[in-house]
Amino acid sequence: MIQKMKKKTKSRKESFMSGVMTLMISQIIVKIFGLVYKIYLTNRPGFGDTGNAIYNSGYQIYALLLLLSSIGIPNAISKLVSERTSLGDYKGAHKIFKVAFMLLTVIGTIGSLILFFGADFIANTILQIPEAKLTLMCISPSIVLVAMSSVIRGYFNARSNMKATGDSQALEQILKTVFTVLAVEVVAHLTSNNVTLMAAGANFATTISVIGSFIYIYKFYKVRKKGIHEEIQTTKPEFKDENTKSIISSIFKISIPISLTSIVSSVNKNIDSITVVRGLKKITTEAVAKEQYGILAGKVDTLVALPLSFTVAFATALVPGLSSAKAKNDDAAIEKRVKLSLLITILIGLPCAFGLCVFAKEILQLVFPNAAAGANILQSISFLVVFATLAQTINGALQGLGDFKTPVIALILGVIVKTILNIVIIPIQGIGILGATVSSQICQFIAFFIGFIKLKKMTKIKFDFNKFAIKPVLASAIMSAISYGIYYLLDFILPHKIAIMVGLVSAIIAYVVAVLALKIFSEEEIKDLPKGDKIHKVLVKLKIYKEA
């Protein structure tokens, strides 16, 4: 009996961390291909920073309306379904899915129509970038399709099957990259590099990729539909059939606060698109202002967002993972998952921040060789990565534990401060665009700090400052010193780009060695990782850890 319980506990650990790894791998694919098409657009003659300004301004409005259309329902589904399935109410779980799917189809359709028919007003009045009108119209059909896809993803996430989300997101990004290049090249050829139409073509490629992703994930569900219905038949009769009105009420009760967090996050990004160009035009020309915003939105934000894509896996997996653990009153599982998730988040965020700061100029030269400007902007915003990744993971933990208000309140306070700072300091001569980087970091710090205090209060978890702060900072500093030293020396004897790449690869190696040497992970935490037992045996053989 004890042996069975140990096996069951072990399988739950592997299920949680395997799900995280599945999402991480998919996000790595998403960001690699996303970076490919960003590099292509930025370096493509006739597009560059001006094209990025048009493309990104339209895309951010689309992202905001997409969040409004989704109303946080995917995470609500993930939470509600995981609670039902953990108790054996498979019939109730599937009914939640069906009701949510119908609801999102209607709301998503409304969102698509608003974006399509309101494109002229949004582009001219809100963004003050008239060229963005066509990009908004081209991307508008994506809203309803993404909304429906997100319901299916939320349902399978709740069932500890992250493959649906991981594979569909990876496929969408691959298609987006391919069709973006094709669309822009065709438009450029037909219009003699008309930047407005090229930006519209890039956003139309998003719509095509979303169609392909929706077809995949819908078939994913259809293939498993028979097994799901067989599972439904095992639902015990004591579970009462909940009516549709009650389900919608439960969904909105959870989804609205969750959605507000995402909406405020999207508003946060749109604050830059609305205030940066306006503020910079007071101290420079409109052309320079748009170019500076293009650097921030097209290159810097893309690079800073990379680490967030890796840690979003924890935020996604923690919602159903902690909801299920809480439904079973499993406090030990809650503590382990929260601690391990935050530790890995720190170990991803910190070295990325150090790397972006130390290698800012070199990374831009490597990634955007034809448009490498912006090193000072990237350096000044680099440590946003630490606070943003932590806030993201903490929000997932809070939502999984049933606290949906704290993340949105914390972010609203951060966004208010950011907006004020953008308006006040961006127009100051000598600060300019750097004002946006400072305000963004302060915004994310506020969101992180408030969320962390509430998480500690809810869980009573104690965090070892040495383990969670001192050692990770030390490992990142060691990594930076060694890798930049290697790059600096090699730059005298090797081609510049090769020296940069060797320096970056040496950073990864140096960091892994530093983390292991400092023994930041406990033996139990290593064993909790996917293939953890095998990793632990290797580390024992290397005499880094002692044999248990």
Side-chain angles (χ1 to χ4, degrees):
M1 183 71 177
I2 295 173
Q3 205 63 25
K4 285 183 179 179
M5 286 176 68
K6 284 183 178 178
K7 286 183 179 179
K8 193 174 181 181
T9 303
K10 175 94 173 165
S11 73
R12 283 204 302 268
K13 290 178 193 172
E14 289 177 348
S15 176
F16 175 72
M17 284 308 300
S18 295
V20 168
M21 289 305 298
T22 298
L23 291 176
M24 266 195 183
I25 291 168
S26 75
Q27 285 302 312
I28 290 170
I29 294 170
V30 166
K31 287 304 174 181
I32 288 174
F33 277 89
L35 193 58
V36 167
Y37 86 79
K38 283 282 186 180
I39 292 170
Y40 160 74
L41 290 177
T42 303
N43 290 306
R44 205 231 180 259
F47 198 93
D49 293 328
T50 301
N52 272 328
I54 299 169
Y55 172 82
N56 282 290
S57 61
Y59 191 87
Q60 292 302 333
I61 293 293
Y62 152 75
L64 176 59
L65 279 174
L66 179 61
L67 288 169
L68 286 167
S69 299
S70 298
I71 319 250
I73 290 176
N75 274 346
I77 295 167
S78 186
K79 178 173 175 57
L80 290 170
V81 170
S82 65
E83 289 174 346
R84 298 294 180 92
T85 54
S86 68
L87 299 173
D89 184 10
Y90 302 108
K91 184 178 180 181
H94 193 255
K95 186 170 184 180
I96 291 169
F97 163 72
K98 291 193 294 183
V99 171
F101 191 83
M102 290 187 291
L103 188 64
L104 260 291
T105 301
V106 173
I107 296 174
T109 300
I110 294 170
S112 288
L113 293 174
I114 288 173
L115 188 60
F116 184 84
F117 290 106
D120 184 68
F121 173 78
I122 294 169
N124 287 283
T125 306
I126 298 177
L127 295 175
Q128 294 189 3
I129 303 178
E131 300 92 339
K133 175 184 174 181
L134 194 55
T135 68
L136 294 169
M137 295 176 71
C138 286
I139 205 169
S140 61
S142 299
I143 293 178
V144 63
L145 294 170
V146 172
M148 291 189 292
S149 296
S150 65
V151 177
I152 302 175
R153 287 169 181 162
Y155 178 66
F156 281 106
N157 285 352
R159 296 168 60 86
S160 297
N161 186 338
M162 304 296 175
K163 184 176 171 61
T165 295
D167 288 358
S168 62
Q169 287 179 339
L171 174 64
E172 183 178 322
Q173 191 64 71
I174 292 169
L175 292 175
K176 184 176 180 179
T177 303
V178 172
F179 284 111
T180 294
V181 175
L182 289 175
V184 170
E185 287 300 326
V186 169
V187 171
H189 178 73
L190 294 176
T191 65
S192 300
N193 287 346
N194 184 306
V195 68
T196 300
L197 295 178
M198 288 163 70
N203 269 330
F204 183 66
T206 298
T207 298
I208 296 173
S209 66
V210 166
I211 292 171
S213 176
F214 175 73
I215 291 171
Y216 168 82
I217 201 166
Y218 185 73
K219 285 186 174 181
F220 187 95
Y221 168 73
K222 292 289 284 185
V223 168
R224 288 155 183 80
K225 193 173 181 180
K226 184 180 177 182
I228 290 170
H229 280 288
E230 288 175 356
E231 187 181 58
I232 290 171
Q233 303 306 314
T234 67
T235 301
K236 294 177 182 179
E238 65 251 29
F239 291 108
K240 294 181 179 179
D241 187 29
E242 191 175 0
N243 62 60
T244 300
K245 185 178 179 181
S246 177
I247 290 174
I248 292 175
S249 176
S250 296
I251 289 173
F252 278 125
K253 186 178 179 181
I254 296 173
S255 65
I256 289 177
I258 292 177
S259 176
L260 283 173
T261 305
S262 299
I263 290 169
V264 174
S265 181
S266 183
V267 168
N268 185 25
K269 293 179 182 177
N270 279 282
I271 284 170
D272 283 342
S273 66
I274 294 169
T275 61
V276 169
V277 174
R278 275 186 170 88
L280 289 174
K281 283 192 320 190
K282 295 178 181 179
I283 56 175
T284 187
T285 65
E286 183 174 352
V288 172
K290 285 183 178 180
E291 184 179 341
Q292 288 282 293
Y293 172 68
I295 291 171
L296 178 66
K299 293 185 292 193
V300 172
D301 282 354
T302 299
L303 292 170
V304 169
L306 279 170
L308 273 75
S309 65
F310 304 148
T311 58
V312 73
F314 289 103
T316 303
L318 278 169
V319 174
L322 295 186
S323 296
S324 176
K326 189 179 179 183
K328 297 175 182 177
N329 295 314
D330 191 348
D331 293 336
I334 290 173
E335 181 170 350
K336 279 188 177 182
R337 289 172 183 177
V338 169
K339 275 190 169 182
L340 188 57
S341 297
L342 284 177
L343 180 60
I344 296 176
T345 298
I346 291 167
L347 292 176
I348 291 173
L350 264 175
C352 289
F354 271 80
L356 289 173
C357 184
V358 173
F359 284 97
K361 182 180 177 181
E362 290 74 21
I363 289 171
L364 287 168
Q365 289 174 343
L366 186 65
V367 179
F368 305 106
N370 296 331
N376 61 327
I377 300 173
L378 181 56
Q379 283 180 322
S380 66
I381 203 173
S382 58
F383 282 88
L384 174 143
V385 171
V386 180
F387 306 126
T389 52
L390 280 170
Q392 184 175 249
T393 300
I394 288 169
N395 286 350
L398 289 172
Q399 289 167 1
L401 293 169
D403 181 359
F404 311 107
K405 293 181 181 178
T406 298
V408 67
I409 291 171
L411 192 54
I412 286 173
L413 291 174
V415 169
I416 290 171
V417 172
K418 172 178 174 167
T419 304
I420 294 169
L421 288 173
N422 268 15
I423 293 170
V424 172
I425 65 178
I426 288 176
I428 297 175
Q429 196 76 41
I431 295 179
I433 192 69
L434 298 184
T437 67
V438 172
S439 65
S440 293
Q441 289 177 101
I442 292 173
C443 170
Q444 291 298 334
F445 175 77
I446 291 170
F448 149 71
F449 184 74
I450 294 174
F452 180 67
I453 295 299
K454 186 58 185 291
L455 182 63
K456 279 193 71 177
K457 187 177 179 181
M458 285 184 73
T459 60
K460 310 294 183 185
I461 297 174
K462 294 181 180 179
F463 295 92
D464 182 345
F465 188 72
N466 187 47
K467 177 187 179 74
F468 283 84
I470 301 298
K471 285 185 177 181
V473 168
L474 181 58
S476 300
I478 292 169
M479 171 203 79
S480 301
I482 292 174
S483 59
Y484 196 82
I486 290 172
Y487 153 71
Y488 185 80
L489 293 173
L490 291 178
D491 199 33
F492 288 105
I493 56 177
L494 293 176
H496 185 60
K497 287 184 179 180
I498 294 177
I500 294 172
M501 287 189 282
V502 173
L504 293 174
V505 170
S506 68
I508 297 171
I509 297 170
Y511 184 67
V512 171
V513 172
V515 168
L516 292 174
L518 292 169
K519 295 185 179 179
I520 296 175
F521 285 110
S522 68
E523 293 186 54
E524 187 179 357
E525 286 167 339
I526 287 175
K527 290 178 181 179
D528 281 343
L529 300 172
K531 309 294 183 184
D533 288 332
K534 292 182 179 178
I535 295 172
H536 181 257
K537 286 179 182 177
V538 172
L539 295 177
V540 168
K541 286 182 180 179
L542 293 172
K543 296 184 178 180
I544 295 173
Y545 288 90
K546 295 178 181 179
E547 194 165 2

